[in-house]
């Protein structure tokens, strides 16, 4: 019979306030198999671990149970402690009497009772523990970065600089993302393109970076160290090997389409480069609008192309590539302002968003940098900014703060005053949130030097009278309704997850919150990691951020990804499935439910009544199995077991609970 | 198509022309309106300003009566009555509330009756073609400011259309051959609830609506609500005085405009019962079809 | 202006806010004072305090001040505020709750509005339906506005809009019973 030790932790007062730890330790002494039991203030601390190791040696323990916090917190600690005491690390159990007991109960007697029950079960399980060992799997030394905005670009450059191969993938024709649409950046007001384009070019020319644009991830198989990623490269209808980017096709194309990059404020052609600094700077054909692809007429671009690069026959291409790690940097969508019907958003052309204004201010934008209202091209004099549109608004389904708007509105007000000294900006706000280096100072300058009139209150209604927009709000500081006759209204539309963020999360197998932002493994201590090993997050796809924050997170993600790639091999999970071939019927149900494709069929020969017979059984690939247990619960003959969580062990726990 | 009909107190008094026009227009469109026998007052704002239970119970008796007579779709012309009945209907979907209210009204309430605005019935249960079929005198050239008021579209849970920019009535006017004007005071409150207690405030609120309708270039206003109509029509003189300008906008129930386009005689629609003279504008505009 | 003693007013008014939450489903802790309610309020011009300010009074424990303000009686229950409120505070519901509570506490500022509601419900309770003429005449008489809207009466009479005699439903008792049962329920609760 195994000799089991029990160690009950007080966790200071965290557990001891709601659980009589000494009583628990005392009762445990009578559990079958327990030869030693004690309690201590901090089991995870150095003296606590020493106490455990001494007890293991002194009482010749085969295994032990620690009643403490969540195994997520300290299981690795206590496994290592076991190793130092000369035990196989899988001979121990940790039972959670903190998160699942003391923190959620108020009654000390009941808390004690529950702790005893939890411990009783763990001891029953520990008695059936067997030594386990892990194996190793090789790592594919190559990373995939999904999304090539500033976060994705920075991640790719950092990984590449560290000497690893990276694929930088984007679904748009050009890399650059949202930052490419922005005119100037806060708090320094340097031109966005001037700081972004060198990075875009660097990414494109880096020997370790393979740039794959106009492509999407459609499937991800495999696991940390070896992800098999299916990528669909959309047809461009232009042969990039032949195209020189001369631009003749773009000039001659007769089909005008509203430009997505210009937020619908200007036109583009059906064969086009989205913006002048685009990388790659070669055109693609928009199949939805191309006259030739739609009804076989036109063909001007093909005729005019001097290098015969236009190829209407091109098809989408699907490839599968293997990567050791993946960084997700898919960014955000701007909140759809038409949900604010009270602001006439979507009905009035002069009620625009921050991104629209960026394009109107940009020298290469549709107005060549002159701010003109979309409706009639008039230069606006009175401009109203409304903050928290699609942010901090539960009624519109967006309760969170989008974080960057307070600063970008201050930036807009500043730049407008600089461009048009006769103009006046009115800014409706609820709170001004300018946490960040040099941010508050910037806000102050907006009021002090750039005449920004801040009004505390949320606007209730905007309506048009003649060519003016009447903005009606309350100045909540004076407590009276106010009205402004504006020429232009800029809504500081918040950030929301990409419309297909959830679909990509499902493809990748990563988690997301109720809004669709990707969830980090720990809100404070693991803000880069996802719950899925080998997949990391960078930029706004994890939650609203501004550029500096996105870049910081991008470099962090690069470190995480290279850290993984720099390992030659990974230690595989020890608590994985194993098939008892003697009872396996070979039905294959486990194969169909395994999310990691870790189970295969194999033939075994055996002697039955003196004759050799062949039979099919399941076999688990230890490199792929993650120990999720889906196979064990589906196995009709109970042949599948998770090592360290066998059916026998689970039943022993149930028995211990029922037989108390 | 058969509906329970809840006229409400106003349609027997100040909103008499709304009742007249609704009845004849419905008949023309083969909509069978069966008045809920022995219906009672919904309690209006006085009930919900006094006691939330009373505010649910008074309309609930009508819901229960409708259920009893198998009239589960209740068509309601008055916007105020609609909102009160709808609120009650929504409240009694909760079993606990339904039991409580059943006890108070001493009737068995199943929660099956649906309160529906007559505007929404005309819009959703009839095709545009069906309405167009009846049009013999299209409202060609008539610029109409469709004014919905609050009660059909607020709060959102009772809304029959967008709370900020509804279009149901606008579409009907278009079908009738008229031209709805684009304006932004469609759902601003006219102060109906203050009409008797705070006439000064009500007149100011009414004046703003009239002013913006006029600015939008409307020839007249169309409404689905007797409270709004009495404010906009009856208090238009006072509003003109407050604004210091002439407004002179006839205020029609949308059903009166439907009836006019259907070729129904003005007096059958109650067009003679307006404060701001309402007959001549329609006489001038409605030309026989084909001209 | 003396300081508001928040260390007293806030805890002392916990009960009132709890009552609003329980009886009227109005949770004022949700309000972050953005002012969208007051900004869109069509009656704000006639109020001495905006809706937002009244909610603030209750948040800070100035309960009596909130109940006695004339503004709650200027609210036309148009629900614009509730429709646009970003936090689902439903200010219109709060105003309604305050009117009911003001009446209960005998703190009604607008006696005329109160009188109107009472007369309205009396009419409904007596006849099952509202008798508009009766209501208006009694209201004008009792509120001392004898000749209010008298100019409008003759033309309304001509149009058939004014019915001199009240219209009663058959089962008047059923409606009267509703009033009684509600009262009984209220009495039973106390």
């Amino acid at each position: 019979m195994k000799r089991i030790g029990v160690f009950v932790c007080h966790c200071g007062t965290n557990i001891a306030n709601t659980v009589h730890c000494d009583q628990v330790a005392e009762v445990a002494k009578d559990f079958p198999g327990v030869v030693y039991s004690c309690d201590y203030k901090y089991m995870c601390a150095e003296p606590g671990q020493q106490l455990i190791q001494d007890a293991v040696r002194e009482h010749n323990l085969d295994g032990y149970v620690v009643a403490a916090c969540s195994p997520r917190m300290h299981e690795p600690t206590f496994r290592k402690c076991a190793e130092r005491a000369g035990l196989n690390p899988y001979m121990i159990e940790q039972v959670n009497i903190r998160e699942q007991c003391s923190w959620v109960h108020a009654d000390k007697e009941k808390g004690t009772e529950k702790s005893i029950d939890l411990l009783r079960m763990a001891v029953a399980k520990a008695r059936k523990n067997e030594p386990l060992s892990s194996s190793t799997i090789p790592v594919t030394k190559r990373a995939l970065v999904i999304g090539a905005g500033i976060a994705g670009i920075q991640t790719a450059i950092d990984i590449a600089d560290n000497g690893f191969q990276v694929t930088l993938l984007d679904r748009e024709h050009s890399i650059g993302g949202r930052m490419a649409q922005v005119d100037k950046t806060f708090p320094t007001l340097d031109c966005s393109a001037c700081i972004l384009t060198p990075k875009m070019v660097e990414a494109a020319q880096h020997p370790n970076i393979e740039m794959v644009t106009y492509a999407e991830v459609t499937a991800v198989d495999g696991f940390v160290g070896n992800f098999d990623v299916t990528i669909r490269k959309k047809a461009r209808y232009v042969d990039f090997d032949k195209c020189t980017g001369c631009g003749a096709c773009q000039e001659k194309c007769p089909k005008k389409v509203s430009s997505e990059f210009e937020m619908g404020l200007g036109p583009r052609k059906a064969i086009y480069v989205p913006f002048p600094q685009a990388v790659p700077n070669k055109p693609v054909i928009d199949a939805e609008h191309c006259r030739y692809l739609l009804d076989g007429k036109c063909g001007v671009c093909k005729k005019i192309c001097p290098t015969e690069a236009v190829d209407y026959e091109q098809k989408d291409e699907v490839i599968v590539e293997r990567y050791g790690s993946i960084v997700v940097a898919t960014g955000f969508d701007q909140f759809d302002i038409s949900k604010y019907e009270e602001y006439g958003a979507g009905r009035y052309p002069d009620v625009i968003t921050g991104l629209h204004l960026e394009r109107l201010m940009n020298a290469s934008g549709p107005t060549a940098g002159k701010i003109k209202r979309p409706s009639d091209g008039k230069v606006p004099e009175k401009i109203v900014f409304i903050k928290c549109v699609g942010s901090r608004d539960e009624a519109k389904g967006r309760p969170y703060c989008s974080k960057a708007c307070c600063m970008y509105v201050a930036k807009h007000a500043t730049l407008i005053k600089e461009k048009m000294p006769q103009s006046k900006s009115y800014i409706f706000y609820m709170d001004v949130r300018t946490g960040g280096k040099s941010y508050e100072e910037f806000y102050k300058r907006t009021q002090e030097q750039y005449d920004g009139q801040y009004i505390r209150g949320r606007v209730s209604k905007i309506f048009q009278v003649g060519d003016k927009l009447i903005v009606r709000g309350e100045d909540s500081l004076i407590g009276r309704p106010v009205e402004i006759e504006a020429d232009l209204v800029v809504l500081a539309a918040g950030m929301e997850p990409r419309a297909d963020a959830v679909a990509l999360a499902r493809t990748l197998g990563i988690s997301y919150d109720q809004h669709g932002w990707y969830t980090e493994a720990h809100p404070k201590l693991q803000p880069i990691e996802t719950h899925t090993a080998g997949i990391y997050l960078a930029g706004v796809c994890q939650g609203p951020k501004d550029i500096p924050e996105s870049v910081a997170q991008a470099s962090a993600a690069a470190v995480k990804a290279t850290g993984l790639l720099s390992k030659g091999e990974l230690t595989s999970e020890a608590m994985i499935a194993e098939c008892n071939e003697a009872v396996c019927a070979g039905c294959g149900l486990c194969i169909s439910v395994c999310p990691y494709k870790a189970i295969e069929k194999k033939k075994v020969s055996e002697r039955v009544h003196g004759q050799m017979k062949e039979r099919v059984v399941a076999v688990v690939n230890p490199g792929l199995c993650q120990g999720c247990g889906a196979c064990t619960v589906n196995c009709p003959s109970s042949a599948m077991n998770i090592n360290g969580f066998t059916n026998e062990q689970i039943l022993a726990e149930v028995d211990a609970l029922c037989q108390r | 198509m058969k509906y329970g009909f809840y006229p409400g107190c106003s349609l027997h008094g100040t909103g008499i022309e709304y009742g007249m026009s609704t009845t004849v227009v419905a008949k023309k469109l083969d909509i069978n309106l069966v008045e809920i026998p022995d219906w009672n007052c919904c309690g209006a704002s006085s009930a919900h300003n006094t006691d939330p239970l009373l505010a649910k119970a008074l309309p609930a008796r009508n819901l229960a009566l409708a259920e009893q007579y198998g009239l589960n779709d209740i068509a309601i012309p008055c916007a105020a009555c609609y909102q009160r009945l709808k609120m009650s209907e929504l409240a009694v979907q909760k079993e606990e509330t339904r039991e409580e209210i059943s006890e108070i009204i001493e009737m068995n309430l199943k929660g099956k009756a649906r309160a529906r605005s007559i505007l929404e019935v005309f819009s959703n249960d009839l095709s545009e073609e069906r309405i167009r079929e009846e049009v013999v005198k299209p409202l060609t050239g008539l610029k109409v400011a469709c004014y919905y008021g609050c009660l059909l579209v607020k709060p959102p849970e009772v809304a029959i259309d967008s709370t900020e920019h509804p279009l149901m009535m606008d579409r009907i006017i278009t079908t009738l051959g008229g031209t709805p004007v684009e304006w932004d005071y469609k759902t601003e409150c006219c102060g109906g609830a203050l009409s008797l207690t705070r006439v000064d405030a009500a007149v100011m609120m009414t004046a703003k609506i009239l002013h913006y309708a006029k600015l939008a270039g409307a020839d007249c206003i169309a409404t689905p609500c007797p409270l709004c109509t009495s404010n906009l029509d009856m208090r238009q003189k006072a509003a003109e005085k407050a604004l210091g300008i002439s407004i002179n906008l006839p205020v029609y129930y949308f059903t009166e405009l439907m009836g006019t386009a259907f070729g129904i005689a003005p007096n059958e629609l109650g067009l003679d019962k307006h404060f701001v003279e309402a007959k001549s504008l329609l006489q001038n505009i409605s030309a026989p079809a084909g001209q | 202006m003396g300081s508001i003693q928040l260390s007293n007013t806030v805890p002392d008014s916990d009960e009132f806010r709890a009552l609003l939450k329980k009886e009227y489903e109005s949770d004022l802790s949700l309000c972050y004072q953005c002012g969208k309610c007051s900004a869109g309020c069509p009656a704000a011009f006639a109020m001495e305090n905006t809706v937002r300010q009244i909610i603030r009074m209750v948040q800070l424990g100035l309960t009596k001040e909130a109940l006695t303000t004339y503004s709650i009686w200027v609210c036309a229950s148009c629900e614009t505020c509730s429709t646009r409120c970003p936090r689902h505070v439903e200010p219109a519901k709060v105003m309604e709750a305050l009117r009911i509570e003001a009446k209960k506490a005998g703190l009604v500022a607008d006696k005329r509005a109160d009188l109107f509601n009472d007369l309205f419900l009396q009419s409904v309770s007596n006849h099952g339906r509202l008798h508009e003429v009766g209501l208006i005449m009694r209201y004008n008489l009792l509120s001392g506005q004898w000749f209010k809207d008298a100019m409008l009466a003759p033309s309304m009479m001509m149009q058939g809009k004014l019915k001199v005699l009240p219209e009663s439903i058959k089962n008047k008792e059923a409606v009267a019973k509703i009033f009684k049962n509600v009262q009984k329920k209220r009495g039973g609760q106390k």
Side-chain angles (χ1 to χ4, degrees):
Chain A
M1 191 148 107
K2 288 203 177 81
R3 297 170 62 81
I4 304 295
V6 167
F7 304 94
V8 182
C9 178
H10 296 201
C11 195
T13 54
N14 271 305
I15 295 171
N17 266 358
T18 339
V19 173
H20 295 292
C21 294
D22 51 344
Q23 272 182 37
V24 177
E26 199 51 39
V27 173
K29 284 182 179 160
D30 295 332
F31 292 167
V34 173
V35 295
Y36 177 76
S37 176
C38 71
D39 58 305
Y40 184 68
K41 204 158 188 185
Y42 290 109
M43 280 299 173
C44 64
E46 195 46 44
Q49 292 194 44
Q50 195 56 50
L51 183 154
I52 295 175
Q53 289 170 42
D54 292 346
V56 169
R57 293 194 186 95
E58 192 180 323
H59 299 278
N60 202 17
L61 301 179
D62 296 309
Y64 60 78
V65 178
V66 187
C69 54
S70 160
R72 275 192 77 95
M73 190 83 191
H74 272 313
E75 198 176 58
T77 313
F78 295 120
R79 285 208 200 288
K80 273 185 199 138
C81 174
E83 249 179 327
R84 282 200 293 276
L87 289 176
N88 178 289
Y90 293 92
M91 295 303 286
I92 71 127
E93 290 295 322
Q94 183 176 354
V95 50
N96 183 353
I97 60 166
R98 192 179 75 170
E99 286 87 339
Q100 290 177 356
C101 186
S102 71
W103 278 0
V104 288
H105 298 297
D107 186 320
K108 199 163 181 176
E109 302 313 315
K110 286 185 177 163
T112 305
E113 200 182 319
K114 180 172 172 181
S115 297
I116 291 170
D117 281 341
L118 290 168
L119 185 57
R120 191 193 311 271
M121 290 159 70
V123 168
K125 180 170 181 250
R127 290 174 67 205
K128 296 192 180 291
N129 272 347
E130 294 298 334
L132 300 176
S133 59
S134 359
S135 56
T136 57
I137 40 170
V139 174
T140 304
K141 291 179 172 289
R142 202 171 157 221
L144 169 68
V145 177
I146 306 172
I150 182 58
I153 291 173
Q154 187 64 48
T155 307
I157 291 174
D158 287 350
I159 295 174
D161 280 347
N162 285 332
F164 293 97
Q165 298 288 318
V166 197
T167 298
L168 176 59
L169 179 140
D170 201 287
R171 70 160 135 209
E172 299 296 334
H173 324 147
S174 170
I175 62 172
R178 291 283 177 212
M179 191 176 165
Q181 286 180 289
V182 172
D183 181 45
K184 290 193 168 58
T185 54
F186 61 78
T188 48
L189 295 182
D190 38 10
C191 141
S192 185
C194 309
I195 55 174
L196 174 67
T197 39
K199 283 201 185 282
M200 289 162 66
V201 173
E202 188 185 349
Q205 292 177 349
H206 202 295
N208 285 343
I209 298 179
E210 178 203 15
M211 198 172 66
V212 179
T213 58
Y214 215 35
E216 280 174 305
V217 170
T218 57
V220 176
D221 292 319
F223 206 72
V224 52
N226 298 285
F227 292 104
D228 289 319
V229 183
T230 309
I231 296 167
R232 189 169 66 89
K233 293 179 166 180
K234 291 176 272 189
R236 301 164 189 270
Y237 306 101
V238 174
D239 184 340
F240 271 27
D241 292 335
K242 292 182 186 161
C243 175
T244 59
C246 72
C249 52
Q250 206 174 180
E251 212 168 284
K252 296 287 181 209
C253 172
K255 179 71 188 176
K256 271 191 186 173
V257 184
S258 166
S259 163
E260 297 84 357
F261 184 83
E262 302 293 358
M263 302 298 291
L265 293 171
R268 63 165 169 85
K269 296 293 182 65
I271 183 166
Y272 71 111
V273 176
F275 55 100
Q277 305 93 330
V279 173
N281 209 307
K282 291 178 182 178
V284 296
I285 295 178
D286 166 8
E288 273 175 38
H289 293 99
C290 169
R291 285 185 187 171
Y292 185 86
L293 290 171
L294 283 176
D295 47 24
K297 286 171 197 150
C298 187
V300 166
C301 52
K302 193 179 171 84
K303 276 172 223 152
I304 200 131
C305 179
T307 60
E308 296 184 332
V310 174
D311 174 9
Y312 297 127
E313 304 301 317
Q314 230 182 49
K315 295 274 177 294
D316 288 5
E317 188 192 344
V318 175
I319 57 170
V320 180
E321 298 274 331
R322 179 166 285 193
Y323 298 98
S325 66
I326 299 174
V327 178
V328 189
T330 46
F332 67 99
D333 281 335
Q334 186 175 250
F335 177 84
D336 172 14
I337 57 165
S338 67
K339 287 179 188 145
Y340 280 79
E341 283 190 284
E342 63 270 40
Y343 294 171
R347 280 193 292 127
Y348 301 135
D350 296 334
V351 176
I352 61 173
T353 70
L355 268 182
H356 287 98
L357 185 62
E358 296 286 348
R359 296 318 301 154
L360 291 177
M361 291 198 296
N362 191 272
S364 62
T367 53
K370 275 207 81 158
I371 298 171
K372 296 176 185 169
R373 359 192 266 182
S375 63
D376 55 7
K378 223 181 89 180
V379 175
E381 274 186 25
K382 287 195 181 69
I383 298 129
V384 168
F385 290 93
I386 303 177
K387 293 210 266 186
C388 300
V389 174
S391 302
R392 305 180 67 196
D393 193 338
E394 277 158 55
K396 310 284 190 218
R398 296 285 168 220
Y400 53 82
C401 167
S402 285
K403 212 173 179 186
C405 324
C406 277
M407 278 304 289
Y408 83 59
V409 169
K411 176 191 79 176
H412 285 156
T414 298
L415 293 173
I416 280 186
K417 193 71 183 174
E418 249 176 15
K419 273 184 189 274
M420 308 185 298
Q422 81 290 357
S423 71
K424 175 81 187 168
S425 290
Y426 299 87
I427 301 149
F428 283 93
Y429 71 98
M430 292 202 293
D431 295 290
V432 178
R433 297 179 170 176
T434 51
K437 201 171 173 181
S438 306
Y439 285 9
E440 178 66 15
E441 295 87 329
F442 188 97
Y443 163 46
K444 187 186 163 209
R445 277 200 302 278
T446 307
Q447 293 176 294
E448 187 189 15
Q449 290 173 26
Y450 294 96
D451 194 26
Q453 178 64 56
Y454 278 73
I455 304 150
R456 199 214 169 262
R458 217 185 226 291
V459 166
S460 182
K461 186 180 170 95
I462 299 173
F463 60 102
Q464 194 155 23
V465 174
D467 74 339
K468 296 279 183 196
L469 291 162
I470 312 294
V471 180
R472 188 175 285 165
E474 186 202 10
D475 184 315
S476 69
L477 300 179
I478 201 165
R480 278 161 64 179
V482 293
E483 272 187 8
I484 298 169
E485 283 187 16
D487 300 305
L488 182 69
V489 177
V490 185
L491 306 182
M495 302 183 205
E496 60 183 19
R498 292 277 185 192
D500 53 359
V502 168
L504 180 65
R506 289 191 180 142
T507 303
L508 290 164
I510 60 175
S511 44
Y512 49 90
D513 67 15
Q514 72 268 39
H515 308 296
W517 300 117
Y518 298 149
T519 315
E520 62 282 358
H522 188 283
K524 282 153 284 186
L525 302 180
Q526 289 176 292
I528 314 293
E529 293 91 330
T530 63
H531 285 295
T532 305
I535 302 185
Y536 308 102
L537 303 172
V540 180
C541 66
Q542 180 249 346
K545 283 179 196 65
D546 58 17
I547 294 170
E549 268 189 289
S550 293
V551 172
Q553 198 187 13
S555 288
V559 170
K560 293 284 172 191
T562 44
L564 174 66
L565 299 183
S566 60
K567 289 179 187 161
E569 45 192 23
L570 291 173
T571 308
S572 72
E573 189 57 58
M575 291 162 90
I576 56 168
E578 194 177 331
C579 177
N580 180 352
E581 290 177 6
V583 292
C584 175
C587 70
L589 204 54
C590 52
I591 299 174
S592 61
V593 298
C594 177
Y596 304 105
K597 299 188 173 65
I599 310 176
E600 286 172 351
K601 280 185 185 176
K602 75 164 183 185
K603 278 184 184 155
V604 289
S605 307
E606 58 191 2
R607 188 174 289 274
V608 181
H609 301 304
Q611 278 186 319
M612 286 302 285
K613 281 211 167 159
E614 270 199 346
R615 183 161 76 84
V616 174
V617 295
V619 57
V620 178
N621 179 339
L624 294 179
C625 176
Q626 291 304 310
C628 73
C631 54
T632 64
V633 291
N634 273 283
C635 180
S637 52
S638 299
M640 278 292 183
N641 261 308
I642 297 284
N643 289 329
F645 261 106
T646 61
N647 293 332
E648 200 195 351
Q649 285 181 301
I650 292 165
L651 284 172
E653 287 188 272
V654 176
D655 283 346
L657 185 65
C658 297
Q659 289 168 5
R660 70 188 163 122
Chain B
M1 279 186 277
K2 188 171 148 188
Y3 298 84
F5 186 56
Y6 180 85
C9 306
S10 290
L11 267 66
H12 285 211
T14 44
I16 192 164
E17 64 271 40
Y18 195 11
M20 292 166 73
S21 54
T22 299
T23 313
V24 284
V25 165
K27 202 167 168 193
K28 199 92 180 160
L29 292 165
D30 306 314
I31 285 179
N32 184 9
L33 299 176
V34 182
E35 187 162 328
I36 296 170
D38 212 39
W39 57 269
N40 60 277
C41 170
C42 69
S45 49
S46 291
H48 74 79
N49 274 334
T50 303
D51 191 302
L53 264 184
L54 186 65
K56 285 175 210 146
L58 283 173
R61 178 172 173 270
N62 299 306
L63 298 175
L65 283 171
E67 280 177 8
Q68 263 180 23
Y69 291 97
L71 301 166
N72 280 346
D73 269 27
I74 311 170
I76 308 165
C78 171
C81 300
Y82 161 76
Q83 196 210 38
R84 294 332 304 169
L85 263 71
K86 192 76 192 171
M87 288 288 211
S88 181
E89 174 210 313
L90 294 176
V92 302
Q93 297 309 307
K94 254 211 274 79
E95 208 182 317
E96 206 182 312
T97 315
R98 187 162 64 241
E99 279 166 15
E100 188 182 18
I101 299 293
S102 289
E103 261 174 50
I104 290 173
I105 62 173
E106 299 183 5
M107 286 171 88
N108 184 24
L109 200 57
K110 295 192 198 77
K112 280 196 175 150
R114 294 283 165 270
R116 298 184 59 192
S117 130
I118 194 92
L119 170 61
E120 186 261 328
V121 168
F122 283 161
S123 292
N124 288 345
D125 295 7
L126 292 174
S127 67
E128 244 174 68
E129 288 69 47
R130 179 68 194 90
I131 295 176
R132 199 171 294 124
E133 268 171 31
E134 297 298 333
V135 175
V136 292
K137 287 163 85 182
L139 306 177
T140 314
L142 185 68
K143 284 184 272 174
V144 184
C146 292
Y147 174 72
Y148 296 77
C150 328
L151 302 161
L152 289 181
V153 290
K154 291 170 201 170
E157 55 266 32
V158 307
I160 61 165
D161 199 348
S162 156
T163 56
E164 301 289 350
H165 198 66
L167 289 168
M168 258 180 195
M169 220 182 341
D170 294 64
R171 284 194 206 103
I172 290 181
I173 297 298
T174 308
T175 309
L176 301 177
T179 310
V181 300
E182 180 63 36
W183 69 314
D184 284 289
Y185 263 64
K186 284 180 168 184
T187 66
E188 287 282 320
C189 178
C190 70
L194 308 172
S195 185
L196 289 170
T197 55
R198 280 296 302 267
V199 183
D200 56 329
V203 166
M204 278 313 292
M205 290 155 85
T206 303
K208 273 187 200 160
I209 295 161
L210 292 167
H211 178 56
Y212 284 114
K214 192 86 184 168
L215 276 182
D219 302 321
C220 63
I221 296 176
T223 87
C225 173
L227 293 182
C228 302
T229 304
S230 59
N231 253 355
L232 293 170
D233 188 27
M234 202 168 80
R235 305 220 179 269
Q236 198 171 115
K237 272 229 163 68
E240 283 179 331
K241 216 168 151 192
L243 290 166
I245 52 169
S246 150
I247 296 285
N248 194 27
L249 286 176
V251 183
Y252 301 104
Y253 292 103
F254 76 103
T255 43
E256 291 179 294
L257 293 178
M258 288 177 87
T260 303
F262 293 173
I264 298 165
N267 288 1
E268 261 183 85
L269 297 168
L271 286 175
D272 52 340
K273 299 182 187 302
H274 288 233
F275 282 87
V276 178
E277 198 278 314
K279 270 159 100 173
S280 53
L281 177 68
L282 296 184
Q283 261 160 15
N284 294 341
I285 277 178
S286 302
Q291 277 191 9
Chain C
M1 231 186 283
S3 305
I4 303 166
Q5 296 304 315
L6 293 180
S7 45
N8 300 328
T9 57
V10 174
D12 290 352
S13 56
D14 283 345
E15 213 175 302
F16 185 69
R17 282 185 299 273
L19 172 97
L20 289 182
K21 199 169 169 180
K22 188 165 170 273
E23 293 293 316
Y24 304 95
E25 293 166 39
S26 294
D27 184 354
L28 296 201
S29 67
L30 292 174
C31 174
Y32 58 12
Q33 291 287 313
C34 72
K36 197 172 182 181
C37 49
S38 313
C41 176
F45 69 91
M47 295 181 177
E48 76 270 40
N49 296 301
T50 66
V51 185
R52 180 191 56 74
Q53 286 175 321
I54 293 165
I55 291 178
R56 191 70 187 149
M57 288 175 190
V58 180
Q59 283 180 329
L60 295 186
L62 308 178
T63 314
K64 196 174 171 193
E65 213 167 304
L67 290 176
T68 50
T69 173
Y70 200 85
S71 302
I72 57 176
W73 300 94
V74 185
C75 163
S77 299
C78 75
E79 302 267 359
T80 303
C81 49
S82 297
T83 300
R84 293 181 187 157
C85 174
R87 281 269 180 102
H88 302 295
V89 177
E90 302 202 35
K93 231 178 183 175
V94 178
M95 293 302 111
E96 190 179 301
L98 293 177
R99 286 192 291 269
I100 297 172
E101 288 302 319
K103 190 170 166 66
K104 274 197 210 161
L107 295 172
V108 176
D110 186 346
K111 299 280 188 291
R112 283 183 185 170
D114 191 37
L115 173 68
F116 176 80
N117 288 339
D118 286 350
L119 293 176
F120 187 107
L121 293 177
Q122 248 174 46
S123 173
V124 177
S125 171
N126 290 341
H127 308 293
R129 285 180 195 164
L130 173 70
H131 180 227
E132 287 177 329
V133 177
L135 170 67
I136 294 166
M137 279 171 52
R138 293 187 65 201
Y139 171 71
N140 284 354
L141 207 65
L142 292 170
S143 63
Q145 309 170 89
W146 293 11
F147 299 107
K148 186 162 128 298
D149 291 332
M151 304 290 287
L152 299 168
S155 56
M156 288 182 88
M157 199 69 92
M158 295 280 284
Q159 293 161 1
K161 290 188 172 185
L162 297 186
K163 295 214 169 123
V164 182
L165 293 176
E167 182 179 335
S168 285
I169 66 169
K170 278 187 218 136
N171 195 355
K172 283 194 288 192
E173 296 71 30
V175 174
K177 208 69 182 283
I178 293 176
F179 280 85
K180 262 194 213 118
N181 285 342
V182 167
Q183 223 156 31
K184 218 196 283 172
K185 252 210 142 98
R186 291 296 175 213
Q189 265 179 9
K190 268 170 203 166

